[in-house]
Amino acid sequence: MNTPLDLFHRSDRVLMQEMYDRLFALFELLRPMSGGEDVPPVDFQEVEVLHLADLTTWAQQLGTETLKSAKDERVPKAIHDIRGGCLAGILVTLDLIRCGVYPWGRQFAMQVFRLVRDHLKMFRNCVPQVDPVTVERDRAEHGHSISLLAEKWKDAAYRLTSEQTLEVVYECAYEGSISERCMEFSALDRIVYNCMNNAGRFAEDGKVYFHIFPIDEGAKPPILRMVLANRISAAHAAELRKRFPDGLERLFSARESTDSSGYGLNICADFVASAFGLGNWKSAVSRRYIGLKVLDDSFVVWFHWPSVV
């Protein structure tokens, strides 16, 4: 789902590059801290010099011109994930540090670093031409362990807004590789962050359960099932059953959401289809490689993923 820059209006091309460069500057500033506990956090004033609050306005403006005439479905999907992903988590966390709600120190500095790292990878996955040099490294063979998901999601508090944090209950019954390249791992990240952001809008108790387990260990490579579930209100469950009496599969189609563009789940199905070499997202849904269900008072989304793409 790589989207060429020339499909965007010139104003949006400039805006995307500004957003990416500003985030990359933050990544470079914080990266030395990832080297170990003995590296002190940078002074927060150095972060403030980057004027990251500008990204809020830029994200709101992104796509204004392009979406007036875009015909390629990759374009709104790229804009959706550049605006979304974990960008809100980065900006809200920095704002709470700025306001003194969170202390600036290693814990929150590393939290911001991981979010920025993830968003930059997803950004490059959307539009590789924003940083061709780093994209070449993303595409080089470099194994990624599933432990990287635990690093991000085990007992995590994922900040959605200044008022809302999503508590993640993470369990994984698999050890080993999950991808061979950064570009592949960023595709998986785009799925997970879209599912997390979707859960965050509706999670009645502010929790999402994220479970991973192998369904076919004899396969080469082993096939994993990833399940995300969150409680929803009785009213929301009733609305979904009424609107989709034959099943929720239509939610994987763009613009079928009950409260948004619907691109998030559509993007998830696209990537699952690609991972298994299927023709399109409809094939992934019809063959049950990805699915949705309301079970009692919970909304459940699951997808399959090869342990090596």
Side-chain angles (χ1 to χ4, degrees):
M1 286 210 302
N2 296 343
T3 312
L5 266 178
D6 60 11
L7 292 180
F8 296 87
H9 188 276
R10 182 183 177 281
S11 61
D12 285 325
R13 294 199 298 268
V14 171
L15 205 52
M16 279 192 292
Q17 197 66 58
E18 291 273 9
M19 292 175 68
Y20 182 87
D21 291 347
R22 197 72 62 93
L23 287 168
F24 195 82
L26 178 61
F27 171 77
E28 290 285 86
L29 179 64
L30 299 179
R31 181 161 57 171
M33 294 176 52
S34 65
E37 293 284 334
D38 57 334
V39 181
V42 300
D43 191 295
F44 190 64
Q45 288 306 310
E46 294 184 61
V47 176
E48 289 289 76
V49 167
L50 298 176
H51 299 291
L52 292 153
D54 292 343
L55 287 160
T56 300
T57 302
W58 292 347
Q60 292 168 348
Q61 294 173 345
L62 183 63
T64 302
E65 295 300 323
T66 299
L67 293 176
K68 290 177 180 178
S69 58
K71 295 180 174 60
D72 192 314
E73 277 292 288
R74 290 176 296 176
V75 171
K77 291 175 183 180
I79 290 172
H80 177 278
D81 279 6
I82 291 169
R83 285 173 172 171
C86 44
L87 182 61
I90 297 166
L91 299 178
V92 169
T93 302
L94 288 174
D95 195 43
L96 291 173
I97 292 166
R98 193 175 294 118
C99 296
V101 176
Y102 288 162
W104 178 248
R106 172 164 294 278
Q107 177 187 350
F108 288 105
M110 287 305 298
Q111 182 175 314
V112 171
F113 171 76
R114 285 190 287 268
L115 290 171
V116 172
R117 177 195 62 194
D118 289 353
H119 198 72
L120 285 169
K121 285 184 179 182
M122 291 187 286
F123 206 133
R124 293 191 296 271
N125 186 285
C126 292
V127 188
Q129 288 167 290
V130 296
D131 186 354
V133 173
T134 307
V135 164
E136 284 305 304
R137 293 199 291 268
D138 289 346
R139 288 173 174 163
E141 191 165 326
H142 174 63
H144 288 64
S145 167
I146 201 164
S147 62
L148 291 171
L149 288 179
E151 175 190 276
K152 289 187 281 197
W153 298 114
K154 187 172 176 60
D155 302 322
Y158 177 51
R159 178 64 70 172
L160 296 159
T161 67
S162 57
E163 294 83 26
Q164 186 184 12
T165 299
L166 193 62
E167 179 186 344
V168 181
V169 180
Y170 175 90
E171 291 183 12
C172 181
Y174 170 78
E175 293 182 5
S177 174
I178 191 64
S179 74
E180 293 184 325
R181 293 169 178 80
C182 284
M183 190 61 73
E184 295 160 358
F185 194 81
S186 65
L188 176 59
D189 269 342
R190 285 178 70 180
I191 297 174
V192 174
Y193 275 108
N194 270 308
C195 289
M196 286 289 178
N197 292 339
N198 187 67
R201 292 204 304 274
F202 301 108
E204 190 74 354
D205 57 0
K207 291 183 180 180
V208 61
Y209 297 85
F210 183 13
H211 295 176
I212 303 171
F213 52 91
I215 58 170
D216 187 355
E217 295 186 81
K220 301 295 182 184
I223 305 300
L224 306 178
R225 174 173 284 183
M226 302 196 181
V227 183
L228 294 94
N230 59 279
R231 286 186 57 197
I232 57 176
S233 68
H236 187 206
E239 178 188 3
L240 287 171
R241 291 189 179 103
K242 180 180 179 181
R243 182 171 170 182
F244 306 104
D246 299 322
L248 303 181
E249 287 76 13
R250 271 174 47 209
L251 284 170
F252 286 115
S253 176
R255 304 184 183 92
E256 282 287 352
S257 170
T258 56
D259 78 329
S260 67
S261 69
Y263 278 114
L265 289 172
N266 182 247
I267 289 165
C268 295
D270 271 337
F271 276 118
V272 171
S274 177
F276 288 99
L278 303 176
N280 53 47
W281 67 267
K282 292 180 180 179
S283 299
V285 173
S286 65
R287 295 175 64 174
R288 311 295 284 171
Y289 282 83
I290 186 168
L292 298 167
K293 188 167 286 189
V294 175
L295 294 174
D296 298 325
D297 61 351
S298 294
F299 183 89
V300 181
V301 55
W302 76 87
F303 63 93
H304 295 174
W305 194 255
S307 54
V308 177
V309 180

